[in-house]
Amino acid sequence: MVVAMRSMWPLVKPMQAKIDWVSFSLPLETDILSPDDLFQVADFKLQALGSGWYEQAKRRGICEHVNGRAPYRFALASADGGLRIFGGGPTETILYEFSGRGCDGMDDYAATSRLLSRVAERITRLDYAVDVRTGALPSDVSNACDTGHFRSISQIKSDTGETVYLGSPKSDRFSRIYRYNPPHPRHELIRLEFVFRRALAKSASQHYVNAGSWASFTALCGNTWGITHPIWQPEVETDERLTTESRSKASDKTVHWLYKQVAPALRRLIREDAISIADFLEHVYNNGQ
C-alpha cells in the first residue's frame, strides 16, 4: 500500500471533515433508580474518563430530565440538543449521545483521536461528515460511485433539498449524501456522512484512531463506498478500505429473521398491550432466566 501526499493545495481546502455524532456506553456498578441518580452517576463517570469528554459535556450546559428511551427508563438532555444521557433499566450501562452540535469543538484530529481511544471499545455509533464546497448534486456523486460496494441506493427529493443513501439506512453501515436548496445557509455545500453503528462503530473508531489524520480516514471512507466523483479530493491517495470482522452466514440469517419476523411480532404485541418492551429486554439481558 502506497500513501502519497499531494504536492500543492489551495489556501482554502476544498474538503472539511469532522466527527458529527458519537455515542458510547459505560458500565455501571450501581443501580439507577431516578433521574437524579442518573445525573450524579453520569457526571462522576465522565470525570473518571479523564479530561476531554467531561469538558465536552459541560460545554452543552445543564442537562434537564426528559423522557427515557427503551431499554432505558430515564434520560437527560442539554438545552441545545447536543447531548443526551440515558440510564436505568436492564442493561447495567449509561449511554451518552453527542449529536452533531454536541461534537462542536472536536476539530483537532489529535485531540479527537485521544477522546475516541478512551471509549473505542464502548462506542455504539459514529458519524463522520465531509463537507465540500461545490455545485455538484448528491445524485451526481452517487451516479459516479462504484455501485458494487453497496447494492442499496435510494434518493429523496423535497423542497428543502436532495438526499441519496448508499446502503440501507437501517443497516449498521451506510452513507448519506445531501445538499440543501437556497436560501439555506449551507446551500453552497454538499455533505457526505458516513454512519457506523454497533460493532461496526467500534471498528470504525479504531480505524479513525489508527489513521493518523483526518485526510487518511477520509480517504478510507471514500474507498469503502466507492466514491470516485471529481469533487472527492482527500489529501492522501491510498487503495485501502475500512475493514470489518467477517460474520458467519448463520449470524446474518439470524439478524434478518429478527428484523423481518420478530420485530413486527413485537410491535404488534406492544400495540395490543400484551407485552412490555422493558420487561422483554430485561428477560433478554438476564439470559432468559
Side-chain angles (χ1 to χ4, degrees):
M1 183 274 297
V2 177
V3 177
M5 296 299 297
R6 296 182 183 272
S7 57
M8 295 182 63
W9 283 94
L11 292 178
V12 178
K13 292 183 178 181
M15 303 174 68
Q16 298 292 332
K18 61 170 289 192
I19 298 294
D20 196 53
W21 184 292
V22 59
S23 62
F24 58 88
S25 65
L26 296 178
L28 282 175
E29 296 77 30
T30 183
D31 291 336
I32 301 294
L33 302 178
S34 70
D36 289 336
D37 284 350
L38 176 59
F39 181 87
Q40 294 177 18
V41 175
D43 190 72
F44 171 79
K45 294 193 78 66
L46 274 188
Q47 289 189 62
L49 275 179
S51 62
W53 285 117
Y54 184 72
E55 288 77 5
Q56 191 69 22
K58 288 302 179 183
R59 291 193 188 105
R60 312 272 62 84
I62 297 175
C63 286
E64 301 291 340
H65 302 163
V66 294
N67 291 332
R69 183 181 71 201
Y72 298 101
R73 294 176 57 197
F74 310 114
L76 307 169
S78 61
D80 68 353
L83 171 63
R84 284 181 178 263
I85 304 172
F86 300 87
T91 67
E92 297 183 346
T93 62
I94 288 181
L95 177 68
Y96 301 82
E97 285 187 351
F98 290 83
S99 68
R101 184 170 297 172
C103 292
D104 287 347
M106 296 172 63
D107 302 316
D108 179 76
Y109 172 80
T112 305
S113 183
R114 286 193 295 271
L115 288 179
L116 291 185
S117 66
R118 290 173 183 153
V119 294
E121 294 302 315
R122 307 290 310 185
I123 286 181
T124 58
R125 176 176 165 182
L126 182 75
D127 291 12
Y128 186 69
V130 180
D131 289 325
V132 186
R133 191 171 298 276
T134 176
L137 297 173
S139 53
D140 297 331
V141 178
S142 64
N143 288 338
C145 286
D146 179 355
T147 55
H149 291 69
F150 289 86
R151 289 177 294 178
S152 173
I153 299 178
S154 57
Q155 180 184 25
I156 300 173
K157 284 187 176 181
S158 69
D159 292 339
T160 59
E162 178 184 337
T163 303
V164 173
Y165 289 91
L166 303 178
S168 170
K170 295 182 179 180
S171 68
D172 286 356
R173 184 175 67 174
F174 67 92
S175 177
R176 177 171 46 229
I177 308 173
Y178 64 91
R179 183 183 194 118
Y180 291 109
N181 293 331
H184 192 280
R186 296 184 62 249
H187 74 272
E188 294 183 352
L189 301 173
I190 188 171
R191 169 164 285 195
L192 297 91
E193 289 181 349
F194 305 96
V195 179
F196 306 89
R197 297 189 179 116
R198 290 175 277 272
L200 295 186
K202 296 176 176 61
S203 176
S205 300
Q206 198 59 60
H207 275 289
Y208 177 88
V209 172
N210 295 336
S213 68
W214 296 107
S216 294
F217 189 73
T218 298
L220 290 173
C221 289
N223 292 343
T224 302
W225 270 269
I227 299 173
T228 62
H229 193 279
I231 69 164
W232 190 256
Q233 295 290 329
E235 297 177 30
V236 301
E237 294 178 352
T238 175
D239 56 3
E240 281 193 344
R241 289 191 275 171
L242 297 171
T243 57
T244 59
E245 294 183 3
S246 60
R247 296 177 301 185
S248 68
K249 291 184 178 180
S251 294
D252 287 339
K253 289 181 179 179
T254 302
V255 171
H256 180 80
W257 171 72
L258 284 170
Y259 276 96
K260 292 297 183 179
Q261 297 188 40
V262 177
L266 273 174
R267 188 159 47 245
R268 176 178 58 80
L269 291 171
I270 291 169
R271 282 199 304 264
E272 296 173 355
D273 202 25
I275 192 172
S276 162
I277 187 63
D279 291 344
F280 177 79
L281 288 172
E282 185 170 5
H283 181 78
V284 171
Y285 278 98
N286 288 332
N287 298 316
Q289 300 300 317

